[in-house]
Amino acid sequence: MSSSGLHYTSARIRTMLPILRPNKNVCATSKLRGETAKSEDKGLSVLLLWGTPLLAFLAFSGLSSSWVQVPYDEWRLTQVVILLLLSGFALFSTLPKKSILTPQTHRLLSIGILMTFALIIMTVSQAQYPERALADAALYTLLLAGIWAQAMLMKRAPALAPQIAATLALLPLLTVIFLPISIITAVFTHLESVWHQSFSNIRMLDDALLPCLFLLWQRPAWLAYQPTKTHFFNVALTFALSAISILYLIAFWMDGARAGLLTIIMGLGLIGLLRRDQWSSLRLPLFTLVASGLIYALLVRLLPADFAVSVMRTDSSQRTLLWQKALDLWQAHPVLGAGGDHFALAKPWLLNAHPHNLLLQWISEWGFAGLLTLVLFLPIMLNILRHRQTLPAFALAAVAAVCIDAMVSGVLVYPLSQMLGLWSVAWLISLLPNTHQTSTASNSDKKSIASHFQIWQRSFKIVTAWAIVAMLVIHGHDLVCIHCISVDNENAPRFWQFGRALHLEKQHIAPVIDP
């Protein structure tokens, strides 16, 4: 090329440079938009993740918004609103580029979700009371969607989860603090006072207290040892946590919560078996467990005979009858089940509205759909077990204790304990490593992984959207029924406080006429 040609070419390049050079204002605007989007995502995470602590605060504090007349019904409505918001996030969230599961597992999950959904539709269509079955299926679907949504939100704001865990660990104090007051009153006046506050059933409190106790022993966030603080501060903090732990455990002893105490011991045993590196952390829970037992033995001698429920009972509290009824119900409906929330209405009549065993509840009411739902959760549970060495030991024990307790109680039936127990599951899932991601894969693998993710997400979102619509169709008017109440003749909790009722009703009180 001649010198004149080179001169012309270089001149053209110089004239094009302003066009090719990135515009600083455009870059700054794009960066600002990105920061704004991240800020909005973080704000959404904060708002949605504090839903469970809000429910726990309302329940443990005994505060009421006068939404409905019975606290349990108000907790259920609050839970439904929280789950609808979390499920809405899950429904409209973007496709993640990372996953804790393999593409093959996602493909199997997609097939399993669609099969379970088909079985649920068949069960609802043949149930004696389709609306009850539909509402029950929608509730548990929203709970599962809520787990996924909270886990994803915790991944976006990883520093927030320990803060919430510490808050949840202390919220039961708003109720349990009345226990020593009641004990002192009974010792000096021999008068029994109610200390369970808004919990109409002592097992509701025990089941809600169970995951909170393990979170307390985990000592997350500002409950942990503070190296920047003085030695006296850390000693005082440990002493305070020990006192709170003893108080929580005395509540279990005084309520005669045999199942709760057994699951606590089994949860601690699980840590001892699987996490030898955490043996030193067992000193506080083991010390407080023994100390609370000794205090309980002393209080039994001082308090009136009917103040505390004995833990030395030999009966099953009618659990064997409930389990036999559930097995008979499954035998009568082995494939599709009797229908969700039908246990209380089936013969023979028993007071309780659930069989105090989640496995028997699901297979008796949902048949193969119930079994398949449990199978679909296995990959995540196995993944949690595989990474047990890197997960918070007591959060892991909390999930194990809740799962064990669900086999003998209603911990995954009552609204507060449902949310608290499943929050711990979401926290563990959020801490699992994302070993399968599209960003580090080859082009062909990226397409395969993304395809499996999309299939799984579409299946998941279809079922989630169906659950949202079903819940709004069945219980939408209950959400706006002000000062209403659930009413039946037995008062056995399930969805509502009066578990055999389907909807809330206006309570009509006859006016008092002076003679």
Side-chain angles (χ1 to χ4, degrees), residues 322-337:
L322 295 170
W323 296 344
Q324 186 60 54
K325 177 180 176 179
L327 288 172
D328 292 341
L329 199 60
W330 184 31
Q331 188 176 8
H333 308 274
V335 178
L336 297 179

Side-chain angles (χ1 to χ4, degrees), residues 145-352:
I147 293 176
W148 186 90
Q150 289 181 99
M152 295 303 102
L153 290 167
M154 290 176 191
K155 283 185 177 291
R156 294 186 179 187
L160 185 59
Q163 303 288 338
I164 295 177
T167 303
L168 292 175
L170 297 182
L171 281 176
L173 275 175
L174 297 173
T175 291
V176 183
I177 194 63
F178 290 95
L179 174 58
I181 298 173
S182 181
I183 291 174
I184 294 171
T185 302
V187 168
F188 289 100
T189 65
H190 296 283
L191 296 176
E192 183 178 354
S193 58
V194 178
W195 64 272
H196 292 88
Q197 299 303 97
S198 299
F199 293 86
S200 59
N201 185 315
I202 60 176
R203 298 298 170 241
M204 294 179 190
L205 175 60
D206 299 335
D207 289 338
L209 196 56
L210 181 63
C212 296
L213 179 61
F214 279 93
L215 293 178
L216 180 74
W217 290 336
Q218 181 62 43
R219 298 189 63 170
W222 33 270
L223 297 181
Y225 177 85
Q226 306 292 327
T228 60
K229 301 291 185 179
T230 63
H231 175 70
F232 175 79
F233 175 87
N234 284 292
V235 170
L237 178 61
T238 302
F239 178 81
L241 295 179
S242 300
I244 295 171
S245 176
I246 291 174
L247 189 59
Y248 286 3
L249 286 165
I250 290 177
F252 281 98
W253 287 105
M254 300 300 289
D255 286 344
R258 298 172 299 174
L261 290 169
L262 178 62
T263 53
I264 289 170
I265 294 172
M266 295 179 71
L268 296 177
L270 185 69
I271 295 177
L273 181 65
L274 300 180
R275 294 293 301 272
R276 297 185 62 179
D277 61 311
Q278 295 292 320
W279 281 8
S280 60
S281 301
L282 291 172
R283 288 179 295 184
L284 188 148
L286 291 176
F287 166 75
T288 55
L289 183 61
V290 173
S292 62
L294 295 174
I295 294 173
Y296 166 75
L298 176 63
L299 290 175
V300 168
R301 297 178 178 274
L302 299 176
L303 295 171
D306 58 346
F307 186 89
V309 181
S310 174
V311 296
M312 304 305 293
R313 307 187 310 277
T314 57
D315 65 310
S316 65
S317 299
Q318 291 193 332
R319 283 183 176 85
T320 54
L321 296 177
L322 295 170
W323 296 344
Q324 186 60 54
K325 177 180 176 179
L327 288 172
D328 292 341
L329 199 60
W330 184 31
Q331 188 176 8
H333 308 274
V335 178
L336 297 179
D341 202 6
H342 276 56
F343 178 84
L345 305 177
K347 295 180 180 180
W349 182 92
L350 294 173
L351 176 62
N352 300 84

Side-chain angles (χ1 to χ4, degrees), residues 369-402:
L371 283 174
L372 194 52
T373 301
L374 295 173
V375 171
L376 290 175
F377 225 73
L378 280 179
I380 294 177
M381 292 292 102
L382 292 175
N383 205 357
I384 289 174
L385 188 61
R386 189 179 302 116
H387 294 93
R388 62 187 180 276
Q389 297 296 331
T390 60
L391 298 174
F394 287 96
L396 182 63
V399 173
V402 167

